[in-house]
Amino acid sequence: MEYYSTRDASLRCSLKEAAIMGLAPDGGLFMPERIPSVDLDEVMSCGTFPEMSARLAALFFDEYSYEELLEMTTRAFPFDIPMTSPAPGLDTLELFHGPTFAFKDVGAGFMGRMMGRLADKDRTINVIAATSGDTGSAVANGFYKVDGVNVTILFPKGKISPFQESQMTTLGENIHAVAVDGCFDDCQAIVKKLLSDKDFHDTYRLTSANSINILRWIPQSFFYFWGYRQWMLKTGRKDPVVIVPSGNLGNLASGVLARRMGLPIKAFIAANNSNDTFARYLATGVCSPEPTVPTVANAMDVSLPSNFERIMSFYSSDWNAVRRDISGCSFTDDEIRSAIKEMSDEYSYLSCPHSATGYLAASRSGADGFWLSTAHYAKFCDVVSRSIGTELPLPEPFRTISLRKGKAVESPADADAVKEIIISSCSGRQSTLR
């Protein structure tokens, strides 16, 4: 299968080319040349998530055999993804049981193993990723000690949780964390600028591990199939509405991909925090980003969502077509805190602030389906403790990880400054910058 740019359908690349470039040369995002149709009965008969993922991956990554893909997915997904019922009549798919306790472990875990296979042994691939919280730790874990791959992670200084920061700054080896003096959108803009710098990109073989990269984005569609299978077996019903806590829109775009492949999802609800660019677009037909504001659901603090472009590609920029499949809502910090307290007080269920937006959308809409719980509550223990009015002890392994002393390079929100950090990391001089 080849991949084309959202900005020029005639621009085609192989899997390796698209994965290593990350961003298309014209600044667009890569899309598969065709959306494969699934044999739903075959996929639903898979008894494990790695097996189901390998079946689905084979539809896209036909350079590899099913056996090779199963070996990758088995190593990438050695964890459960259960569906639970935190409240009567309300179901959620818990995507936080992976190594970094967030849904991004699925995409990043698969991408790390696939990129290791694509890497040439005599030439390093430099991966760069911007994170508003969970992407960085998932990418760091997914690529840790992968031969032939050097990783630089940009995060907004002082705007992620201490635990998230510890997860990405304490590994060392081929993982380099950079604290950028700005917001997530600044980090993301730096990534896009460096990926578009042809000389730098070609010299240092630069690619991205954000959901703009097809190897991060496509695998996220797999857990929609797994969630559908569990919900159908649990409830006996079909055609669920799936509620997706949404920031950079990679997760939602993956859900749309799954639906286009033949998964019978009735509709989606995109749940935003106060950074509600997409919810306002759904209401008005106008995409009008505003300055990013920090919220308690920091991983969703995105005003310029990259994967908006993929969603527009799916629907040929037809607002009415988008609204037929997707509705949106947004919630304030006070509403999110109240939802966390409500789940704790009434149902003895602890939720992270991002997942709480899914609960709010589910309980208020009365939609027949499930929401995605995207991160473990303990990653945001301070927010959860303040919300419920009780100081929660950090469970293990969160406590041990949070006590580790991490190291990060500090940088202004400037692409040239980050470029020098990457050059230094490649030449083995990273330690002199800490």
Side-chain angles (χ1 to χ4, degrees):
M1 181 179 288
E2 290 188 323
Y3 298 84
Y4 70 89
S5 170
T6 51
R7 299 182 185 181
D8 181 1
S10 68
L11 197 164
R12 300 296 176 101
C13 293
S14 68
L15 168 63
K16 185 171 183 177
E17 290 168 334
I20 291 178
M21 279 193 283
L23 201 65
D26 61 0
L29 277 64
F30 283 112
M31 297 281 285
E33 63 177 339
R34 65 183 184 279
I35 305 299
S37 296
V38 299
D39 181 330
L40 197 60
D41 290 338
E42 178 185 62
V43 171
M44 290 298 117
S45 70
C46 295
T48 69
F49 181 59
E51 181 186 351
M52 178 181 284
S53 297
R55 292 287 176 199
L56 294 167
L59 300 175
F60 293 96
F61 310 121
D62 48 16
E63 297 88 344
Y64 298 93
S65 68
Y66 167 75
E67 288 73 23
E68 288 175 304
L69 290 166
L70 181 60
E71 188 272 333
M72 279 189 264
T73 58
T74 299
R75 294 185 64 187
F77 311 138
F79 50 87
D80 193 17
I81 303 179
M83 180 161 286
T84 62
S85 300
L90 295 175
D91 298 309
T92 186
L93 186 67
E94 293 185 344
L95 293 163
F96 51 73
H97 294 277
T100 71
F101 313 101
F103 82 93
K104 295 176 182 181
D105 283 324
V106 173
F110 182 88
M111 183 183 181
R113 281 147 187 85
M114 181 69 87
M115 195 67 81
R117 289 184 176 244
L118 292 174
D120 297 325
K121 299 308 178 185
D122 59 347
R123 190 179 179 196
T124 297
I125 294 174
N126 276 285
V127 172
I128 184 170
T131 183
S132 54
D134 288 331
T135 290
S137 52
V139 169
N141 181 82
F143 283 88
Y144 182 53
K145 292 185 177 181
V146 171
D147 289 341
V149 181
N150 190 56
V151 181
T152 302
I153 300 169
L154 313 183
F155 66 92
K157 181 182 176 182
K159 295 182 175 70
I160 64 174
S161 75
F163 179 79
Q164 289 172 319
E165 186 168 336
S166 294
Q167 282 187 300
M168 70 184 84
T169 61
T170 56
L171 293 175
E173 298 284 344
N174 63 324
I175 308 298
H176 311 286
V178 180
V180 173
D181 188 11
C183 65
F184 169 76
D185 291 316
D186 296 319
C187 298
Q188 184 165 256
I190 291 171
V191 169
K192 289 184 175 181
K193 185 172 183 178
L194 293 183
L195 288 172
S196 299
D197 184 333
K198 188 176 187 308
D199 289 341
F200 185 69
H201 174 280
D202 292 348
T203 300
Y204 288 91
R205 216 180 190 196
L206 196 67
T207 189
S208 173
N210 284 87
S211 56
I212 60 177
N213 194 299
I214 55 166
L215 289 184
R216 258 283 313 279
W217 174 60
I218 289 175
Q220 291 178 170
S221 67
F222 302 164
F223 55 66
Y224 283 88
F225 287 87
W226 188 244
Y228 176 84
R229 180 182 187 273
Q230 292 186 79
W231 188 80
M232 181 179 62
L233 292 174
K234 181 175 185 290
T235 66
R237 300 193 298 276
K238 299 180 179 180
D239 304 317
V241 173
V242 181
I243 298 163
V244 187
S246 298
N248 209 26
L249 297 180
N251 200 355
L252 180 61
S254 298
V256 175
L257 174 63
R259 190 173 187 267
R260 292 293 177 94
M261 293 167 67
L263 186 64
I265 292 174
K266 181 178 181 180
F268 298 96
I269 300 176
N272 288 176
N273 60 18
S274 295
N275 297 287
D276 59 351
T277 301
F278 190 60
R280 286 186 288 107
Y281 163 77
L282 291 168
T284 66
V286 178
C287 182
S288 55
E290 296 179 351
T292 305
V293 297
T295 75
V296 294
N298 68 277
M300 293 157 53
D301 290 350
V302 183
S303 290
L304 293 166
S306 288
N307 285 280
F308 180 78
E309 194 161 335
R310 277 197 174 109
I311 292 175
M312 291 301 97
S313 180
F314 275 126
Y315 292 97
S316 301
S317 299
D318 183 336
W319 174 57
N320 288 313
V322 176
R323 292 204 306 163
R324 281 194 290 270
D325 291 347
I326 308 171
S327 59
C329 51
S330 62
F331 303 102
T332 66
D333 277 2
D334 285 345
E335 289 175 308
I336 293 170
R337 292 190 189 99
S338 294
I340 293 171
K341 181 173 176 57
E342 181 179 308
M343 280 189 279
S344 174
D345 289 352
E346 296 190 21
Y347 310 118
S348 300
Y349 186 86
L350 296 174
S351 171
C352 90
H354 314 82
S355 307
T357 67
Y359 166 77
L360 281 166
S363 57
R364 292 187 181 183
S365 69
D368 186 24
F370 58 90
W371 79 90
L372 305 182
S373 284
T374 56
H376 195 288
Y377 85 87
K379 297 191 78 168
F380 308 92
C381 205
D382 289 347
V383 172
V384 176
S385 293
R386 288 194 296 271
S387 298
I388 67 176
T390 300
E391 190 66 29
L392 294 170
L394 269 178
E396 290 295 350
F398 294 87
R399 183 176 181 277
T400 298
I401 293 172
S402 67
L403 293 174
R404 295 174 184 165
K405 298 295 183 182
K407 293 181 180 180
V409 181
E410 294 191 5
S411 172
D414 177 77
D416 288 336
V418 174
K419 184 186 293 186
E420 290 302 315
I421 291 169
I422 293 172
I423 293 171
S424 296
S425 71
C426 291
S427 63
R429 293 185 287 110
Q430 180 76 12
S431 60
T432 66
L433 295 170
R434 288 177 177 154

